[in-house]
Amino acid sequence: MKNYFLLEVGVEELPSRFVESTLAQIKENLEKSLAENRVDFEGIETYATPRRLTFVINKISDNQADLEEEVKGPSKKIAVDADGNFTKPALGFMKSKGLSESDVYFKQAGKEEYLFGTLKEEGKATSEVLKEVVPEAIKGVTFPKAMRWGGKNMKFARPIRWMVALLNDETLPVDLEGIIASNVTKGHRFLGAKEIEVNSIEEYFEALKNNYVVLDQNVRKEIIKTQSEEVAKSLGGVVEIEDDLLEEITYLVEYPTAFYGEFDTDYVKLPKEVVTTPMKDHQRYFPVSKDGKLLPYFIAVRNGGDNRLDLVKAGNEKVLEARLADALFFYKEDIKKPLESFVENLKTVVFQAKLGTVYDKTIRIEKLVEDIVDSLDEKEILNDAMRAAKLCKADLVTNMVFEFTELQGVMGREYAKVCGENDAVAEAIFEHYLPRFAGDILPETKAGIALSIADKLDSIAGFFAIGIKPSGSQDPYALRRQALGILSILLDKKLDINLEKLVNDALDNYDNLEFNKAEVVAQIMDFFTERVKNLFKDLGIRYDVIDAVLSSNLNSISDIHTRAVELNNWLQKEELVEMLTAFNRVSTLAEKAESDKVDEALLKEDPEVKLNAGFKEIKAQVEGFLANKEYNKALDAFASIKPLVDNLFDNVMIMDKDEAVKANRLGLLKQIYDTMLTICDLSKIVYK
């Protein structure tokens, strides 16, 4: 393989969560720098293990492309004096561009002549360009946490220990703050050679393979998955593999070997999450189950071969045994008393200094749940929803959740069942945290839906009331995620609920705070509007359609989405441009109206008389269709007024000299415009 560049960045083991981002950033930095430096290439392949980041640039050119660029200077009247000599501005331009007087010329540009020159630069060898761009591409990576080492100025997630750089089988001595690239790589930390000399890309891949390094992360991931499935099958079960955990393990090992361990069958009697949470989140093990029930086995992945696997198995079993013994102890202690008994302890847990304790938050959630249930007209769920609201945070002060915070909500549900709460209450306690992250499941029970919305809206209202709101990339209290969670629930469950009213209700519960309520409500509604725009864009809705349907309010997210989808479809009509042009004229003039009152006695011209009469009929039709949420039909009905509007504009002077006549005509147009807004604002639609 010729005309390639191979770069390996050798590091101390990277945190698995940083690997994908680091690969992507360096690749992007290389692509951008090579393009800016006029170096052609076909593509960049990326590979990664915990100890190395590898980049292969394919079909890279031998040299930069030559540069030939025409540059423009001052106009001729500024560049030349009365005697025909170059002025200081002209000479300054030539000096800044490295041009002599013989290199410049005048050329017409628009109405004047300007001084021009052509810059020419012969392309450098690609090897020289790479020496410059590679260090910058690596140093340009950003991390949530980074470190310095060895007196270096650069920062990286972990110290960089070596680099390999081969350009067409030749070593390229790239200098990264004293780390000089060579043709020497390293094998697996324990199983491979300490130093391996490679003189070509083929040798590089072969050497790593022979030294217990599976370089390709996709191959490594598939090996882990396949081996784990085979091990689970041999145990009579199936392995439960979550994508996030699989990816994490992929970047923890260079040479994976899956094996199983066992634990006491008594632990299987515990709630499943009590066992699988320490197994997955703390030990990076895959659970094994059969017909949905947990088996007393786990599958782990070793960074190495199968040598003395019995000792590795025993060691992992011992570690998990300690974790599960703790979990069993905490569980037995917690269920000695009812879940409700933990509620009082929430008074000792601070939610936020200005917003009180978690107990205070629970009281607010109870009040807001009642308002939400009333808005949804679901009075039959009120008792369950209120009971769940009272208990929803109680598990935060249990032994189990104190040790395993990932189990909040899960243990609340389990403990509620143990102490005799009904299924609706128990499930709502779990569901009130949903959705916990992008793509997570949504609450399904009515009580869980009400509780989830109340919990999230209480947080948003409280933080906005004390002036804490997301800014740029900063969102320490995950308010964006919580807002998106509320919107996702409202949209998915097609809930017809007035969001602004709920925001007001939530703020009313903060009667101990001083704030401008109207101002905070406006800020929160603007915040939700931005989230709606992002959500709808992700759903494939045009940005101008989103603006059009958001012109009125956010009273019902589900209804707004329905309008957006139907408007999206309606805009496929062939006569769209003419239609929108007419309604844009209506909206432009309607803004000049001081009132929407129409005195029929002042309607003297035939076009305005016909428009007024036709509009009354059409308005009644539109209102009927809107009442039945038939927005496509409402748009068709409203659009049918176009010929009457065109007739008015073609034959009547709207801005009449008679102020009363002018105001009357503007009032009629305002009535039409206001009716349009009850569907959407067509003036927001962009057309060509």
Side-chain angles (χ1 to χ4, degrees), residues 174-192:
V174 174
D175 184 350
L176 178 65
E177 293 201 16
I179 304 169
I180 310 298
S182 68
N183 64 336
V184 178
T185 185
K186 300 179 187 293
H188 187 281
R189 184 179 286 278
F190 307 112
L191 304 176

Side-chain angles (χ1 to χ4, degrees), residues 60-186:
I60 193 167
S61 60
D62 294 325
N63 299 285
Q64 281 182 311
D66 293 338
L67 174 66
E68 185 168 320
E69 178 185 9
E70 187 176 58
V71 289
K72 181 181 177 184
S75 63
K76 188 173 183 178
K77 62 184 179 183
I78 295 175
V80 179
D81 61 21
D83 298 325
N85 300 315
F86 285 119
T87 61
K88 286 185 177 180
L91 294 171
F93 163 71
M94 287 183 260
K95 183 178 180 181
S96 68
K97 301 298 182 182
L99 299 168
S100 65
E101 292 187 15
S102 61
D103 295 326
V104 297
Y105 49 90
F106 289 101
K107 192 171 80 170
Q108 192 77 24
K111 295 181 179 180
E112 293 187 58
E113 281 189 278
Y114 286 84
L115 186 65
F116 282 88
T118 300
L119 301 179
K120 293 183 180 181
E121 181 183 323
E122 186 177 345
K124 294 188 293 186
T126 295
S127 58
E128 296 304 309
V129 177
L130 287 169
K131 287 178 183 178
E132 296 172 6
V133 304
V134 168
E136 296 307 313
I138 297 171
K139 290 191 285 187
V141 180
T142 58
F143 300 93
K145 291 183 179 180
M147 60 186 292
R148 287 193 175 96
W149 72 97
K152 300 186 184 304
N153 292 317
M154 68 173 292
K155 287 184 177 183
F156 210 72
R158 291 293 183 271
I160 296 173
R161 296 306 188 193
W162 80 89
M163 288 197 305
V164 173
L166 296 177
L167 178 60
N168 298 335
D169 297 353
E170 295 292 329
T171 302
L172 186 66
V174 174
D175 184 350
L176 178 65
E177 293 201 16
I179 304 169
I180 310 298
S182 68
N183 64 336
V184 178
T185 185
K186 300 179 187 293

Side-chain angles (χ1 to χ4, degrees), residues 372 376 381 388 413 424-437 439-456 481-495:
I372 293 171
L376 293 173
I381 69 164
R413 176 179 61 189
V425 171
E427 198 61 30
I429 291 172
F430 165 70
E431 290 183 334
H432 94 279
Y433 284 109
L434 303 179
R436 295 157 294 189
F437 47 82
D440 193 18
I441 58 175
L442 299 176
E444 291 295 333
T445 68
K446 292 179 180 178
I449 289 168
L451 193 53
S452 177
I453 295 172
D455 179 37
K456 294 170 178 58
R481 176 175 59 78
Q482 295 185 68
L484 193 57
I486 292 172
L487 295 174
S488 297
I489 293 169
L490 296 177
L491 185 58
D492 184 77
K493 308 305 176 186
K494 295 181 169 53
L495 299 180

